[in-house]
């Protein structure tokens, strides 16, 4: 079945470091891909999305490119801030009649000054 | 719009008691999802509705769990009887879905503790 695999955390970085969080997926057809972020004590918020191959989603300095050939959607940011500390979830949405949103396990990011 | 509203925010109950979690989706949305989040299993999809009809409940852990959506503006997730292993954060999310894939909006969650 459809699934999402993320790199395990926690990821610990110093402020202004480069961030990569890997995400790969397994799906039939052509899903849309998302990154959600969860700040402490809150629900998930959409960070960025891409709906077709080679699309690049971007928001708040974060980017991810939909790579169909490698079935990947890695999240990157050139210079992280302490305020980026959160849990990041990769997700896919496959429109197989009724849309179903499937999440990866989440990756906790801790950024230190 | 106030977003997805869940209640209560926190619930502490004794093992064996019935627990009801509530969700008000965003007005106009036609899909509603219930998720459970734990450290061990991450974010699990329990059930989702489309136009108030349950579409996939394969994630519901067992018969103690049930979910209803009597109308477009309200859904409940009930656990009866509750057990300590049900302790988790339960999220409700809603979205408007047609042939184009759209994002889901999440509530702030209900933290359930069963003692």
């Amino acid at each position: 079945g459809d699934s999402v695999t993320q790199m395990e955390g926690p990821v610990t970085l110093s402020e202004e470091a480069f961030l990569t969080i890997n995400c790969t997926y397994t799906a039939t057809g052509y899903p849309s891909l998302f990154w959600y972020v969860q700040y402490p004590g809150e629900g998930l918020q959409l960070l960025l999305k891409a709906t077709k191959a080679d699309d690049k989603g971007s928001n708040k300095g974060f980017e991810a490119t939909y790579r169909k050939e490698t079935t990947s959607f890695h999240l990157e940011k050139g210079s992280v801030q302490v305020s980026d500390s959160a849990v990041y979830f990769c997700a896919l949405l496959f429109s197989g009649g009724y849309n179903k949103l499937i999440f990866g396990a989440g990756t906790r990011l801790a950024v230190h000054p | 719009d106030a977003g997805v509203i869940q209640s209560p925010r926190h619930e502490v109950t004794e093992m064996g008691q019935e627990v009801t979690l509530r969700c008000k989706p965003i007005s106009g949305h036609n899909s509603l999802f219930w998720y459970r989040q734990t450290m061990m299993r991450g974010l699990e999809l329990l059930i989702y509705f489309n136009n108030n009809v349950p579409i996939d409940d394969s994630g519901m852990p067992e018969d103690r769990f049930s979910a209803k959506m009597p109308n477009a503006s309200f859904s409940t997730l009930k656990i009866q009887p509750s057990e300590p292993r049900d302790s988790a954060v339960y999220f409700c999310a809603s979205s408007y879905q047609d042939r184009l894939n759209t994002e889901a909006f999440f509530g702030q969650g209900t933290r359930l503790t069963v003692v």
Side-chain angles (χ1 to χ4, degrees):
Chain A
D2 298 347
S3 66
V4 176
T5 303
Q6 290 182 234
M7 64 186 288
E8 288 191 22
V11 174
T12 304
L13 296 173
S14 298
E15 206 165 24
E16 298 184 3
F18 183 85
L19 168 71
T20 300
I21 299 178
N22 290 339
C23 171
T24 57
Y25 67 90
T26 301
T28 54
Y30 304 97
S32 292
L33 301 174
F34 303 81
W35 277 100
Y36 279 79
V37 58
Q38 183 181 30
Y39 298 104
E42 299 185 9
L44 279 70
Q45 305 172 26
L46 180 67
L47 181 60
L48 55 84
K49 66 180 180 182
T51 58
K52 61 182 185 298
D54 299 325
D55 267 4
K56 177 185 284 188
S58 61
N59 185 25
K60 300 181 182 179
F62 291 89
E63 293 183 340
T65 301
Y66 189 160
R67 300 286 188 200
K68 183 170 177 290
E69 64 276 13
T70 55
T71 61
S72 65
F73 193 54
H74 304 322
L75 182 68
E76 297 181 337
K77 186 173 185 181
S79 176
V80 293
Q81 305 300 311
V82 172
S83 57
D84 294 327
S85 298
V87 181
Y88 292 81
F89 292 88
C90 186
L92 72 81
L93 181 72
F94 178 56
S95 181
Y98 293 104
N99 296 342
K100 184 173 176 178
L101 189 59
I102 298 171
F103 286 88
T107 303
R108 182 175 299 277
L109 170 66
V111 181
H112 298 289
Chain B
D1 199 310
V4 176
I5 299 173
Q6 291 186 246
S7 64
R9 289 293 309 277
H10 302 274
E11 176 79 40
V12 180
T13 190
E14 291 186 346
M15 183 174 62
Q17 296 298 305
E18 177 180 295
V19 175
T20 299
L21 311 181
R22 296 173 176 81
C23 176
K24 182 180 187 308
I26 292 173
S27 177
H29 282 186
N30 60 0
S31 292
L32 184 140
F33 306 81
W34 281 102
Y35 289 89
R36 177 173 68 177
Q37 186 178 35
T38 61
M39 289 293 292
M40 292 296 294
R41 292 186 297 272
L43 198 61
E44 303 171 277
L45 176 63
L46 300 178
I47 185 172
Y48 75 100
F49 295 84
N50 187 270
N51 292 323
N52 312 339
V53 176
I55 301 302
D56 185 345
D57 65 355
S58 59
M60 296 285 262
E62 48 197 274
D63 291 345
R64 298 185 297 107
F65 285 68
S66 62
K68 294 182 180 179
M69 192 165 185
N71 56 62
S73 60
F74 184 65
S75 176
T76 59
L77 178 67
K78 184 178 294 186
I79 308 172
Q80 166 63 18
S82 58
E83 296 182 3
R85 60 192 168 120
D86 301 331
S87 298
V89 180
Y90 291 81
F91 287 103
C92 175
S94 72
S95 69
Y96 179 75
Q97 294 183 351
D98 52 18
R99 58 184 297 274
L100 299 177
N101 297 332
T102 60
E103 70 179 278
F105 294 82
F106 280 75
Q108 291 196 299
T110 295
R111 181 174 295 279
L112 173 65
T113 303
V114 183
V115 298

